[in-house]
Amino acid sequence: MFIKRRSLLAGFAALAVSGAVAGCSNGGGDDVLADESDAFGFKKEGLPIVETTMPLAFSGSKSALAPDYNTMELVQRWKKDTNIDVQWENLPENVYAEKKNLLLASGDLPDALYNTGLSDSEVVTNGSNGTLIPLEGLIDEYAPNLKGILDKRPDIRAAITASDGHIYTLPAVEELGILPFPNFLFINKTWLDEAGLGVPATIDEYENALRAFKARGGDVIPLSFRVDSFCANVADLIAAIGGMPDNNDHRIVQDDKVIFTAGTEEWRTAVRKLGEWYKEGLIDPESFSQDDPTYLAKGKADPVKLGSFIWWEMKEAVGEDRVKDYVHVGVLKGFDGKQRASVSNYAEINRGAFAITSANKAPHATMRWVDRLYDPVMSAEVRWGPIGVTLEEKDGILVQIPAKSGESEGERRQKVAPMGPCITTREDFENVVAPEPRAKERQDMCKESYEPHRANDAYPPVMLSNEELAQVGDAQTEINTLVTRQFATWIVEGTIDEGWETYLGQLESIGLPQVMEVYQTAYDRYKSN
């Protein structure tokens, strides 16, 4: 794959003069590889990083819209600033996903993986077999930006630390605060006005609104949702009805205890009520089978037929022309009068942004190179694109430059931003770079309507060991399949009470108690890091 690999190695060989090869003493203890950075005039501080041009080869994934990274303006600036000449062979995500295992098993490794695309199992396997090198010693010695963040944020350090105590990949973090609350409930305000009803604040009032919508007749859909979507599930309705928050994993944390929600009496109560709604014709029958295009088309149908729906952006669901007809409901008060906002397990920490392989002859210089990307301003450019192209300074903070006509900000971003290792914290979004306008709207909604009613903690981005993954893997898949099937069946048929005890027995025989024990043990380990 790496057609330039021989020439890159030749560059090292030519400069690896006697005495220039550094041993492990500079790597902080875990850096066991010999390092040839000094042969290129390596500097621990300042720019360039090396006096003589150093060749490195990177691979990994990229967006399908992204050009050859070698041609990107930001990447070319990195080369000029550091004097490190990276030869990029990043592949579209679907292509890389097919080839990464062959790449890692070959004897022709790149020096580093940028946007690694590695699963937890692949990280642990390739870390333990030596394909990926431990990075914690290099971080301590050569990555002051990243080290400073990890020292202040033990949660990020814990998320990227494997069960053997090593760090094999570096993170990408974007702390907008919107991932914990992806399920926004919207309702047709025009129809409420016509029915003489206010915007519901309680689950009882919402139920009455659904009945009023049903009474309109025709093919009206009082409530539509999806059961397997990132941002269209009924977790908050389950919390309001049953009193227990939920999420797509049916795994939450309360008071440091990991709970499987879909085996609780609270969940049973909620599903029973949803079955009653379905029998009354208040729930869209396609909620259990529709895909995103089908779902999003319903809000734009002519004539209007959608009474309420769950999504994380109104305009995307109903179109620009109908935004004025709908309003955000927020977190409903439950039958017990309490508001409970369910917290998802979607992580704002991606631990697979960057890795250094055992083929790398200059891990010291490589770590200094990647550490520059963790400067807050540089992280903004990594994620959104170069200043002057996609970003500009306004009133002391970076803001988005509007995209040209015919091109969305998202499309432009994929073409000019390499993504990868970067960290933008909550504080950075206040002091360094402003959120994109759509993200800012969702961020404000989360802060105002959901965060005050947070009812659980998310299960954190724990890295399981290979042994733990083996214990959880098949059983978790069977559990998910069973829960999804029974959730739909019980709502449509209204038979949860008849099937409940059998269902609990099935969960136990599949191995739910053992799975939850693994998750609890891993959670406790994460909290102790």
Side-chain angles (χ1 to χ4, degrees), residues 387-423:
I387 294 172
V389 177
T390 60
L391 298 170
E392 62 182 354
E393 186 175 338
K394 186 176 182 180
D395 298 327
I397 193 168
L398 295 174
V399 298
Q400 294 279 323
I401 298 173
K404 297 177 181 178
S405 177
E407 182 180 45
S408 71
E409 280 82 0
E411 291 172 332
R412 178 185 63 180
R413 175 179 176 181
Q414 293 180 64
K415 295 175 183 177
V416 299
M419 307 299 286
C422 58
I423 293 179

Side-chain angles (χ1 to χ4, degrees), residues 7 22 106 109 123 130 186 190 194 197 203 210 232 239 244 247-248 280 452 456 462 465 512:
S7 64
S106 75
L109 290 168
V123 170
F186 298 96
T190 300
E194 292 173 357
L197 298 174
I203 192 67
L210 296 183
M244 170 74 76
N247 57 38
N248 276 4
E280 291 185 54
N456 64 283
V462 178
S465 68
L512 176 64

